Amino acid sequence: MSEKHERMLRVGLAGVLAMLSDLCALVFLVEKQHLQVALAALLAAGVGAVLSFFLNKYWAFRDFSPIRIAQLSGFATVAVGSALLVTACVQLL
């Protein structure tokens, strides 16, 4: 398998792991901590985003350079936007 295909597989697996951590955090926050679903969805999205960032940076892309502000702010912009969209959809439903 080529390096490109291996990296694509790692990125996909990182996404699945981040999604599963988001889902587990959501269930925990709603069922065990009794948070409102919308707030729990927002916090759980944060958990998934943090895991996604680190898995992709260090494992999928094997980038061991120091975290740069530009790198983090770009990722955070997308993650916050996504979390707010998910939270709004959960609140509406």
Side-chain angles (χ1 to χ4, degrees):
M1 184 181 306
S2 72
E3 174 61 28
K4 179 181 177 181
H5 288 105
E6 286 180 21
R7 183 174 38 247
M8 288 173 56
L9 182 61
R10 289 191 305 266
V11 168
L13 288 172
V16 169
L17 290 171
M19 181 212 46
L20 289 173
S21 71
D22 183 334
L23 181 61
C24 288
L26 177 63
V27 170
F28 172 78
L29 291 170
V30 171
E31 296 295 324
K32 300 295 184 189
Q33 299 300 313
H34 308 290
L35 292 181
Q36 288 183 322
V37 176
L39 177 58
L42 182 65
L43 295 173
V47 170
V50 168
L51 184 62
S52 177
F53 179 83
F54 286 104
L55 282 175
N56 278 296
K57 178 170 175 50
Y58 295 113
W59 182 57
F61 291 99
R62 298 178 187 203
D63 177 4
F64 298 102
S65 65
I67 296 172
R68 297 181 312 277
I69 295 296
Q71 187 180 47
L72 194 56
S73 65
F75 188 87
T77 300
V78 172
V80 167
S82 175
L84 291 174
L85 181 62
V86 167
T87 302
C89 289
V90 166
Q91 184 65 34
L92 288 172
L93 295 174

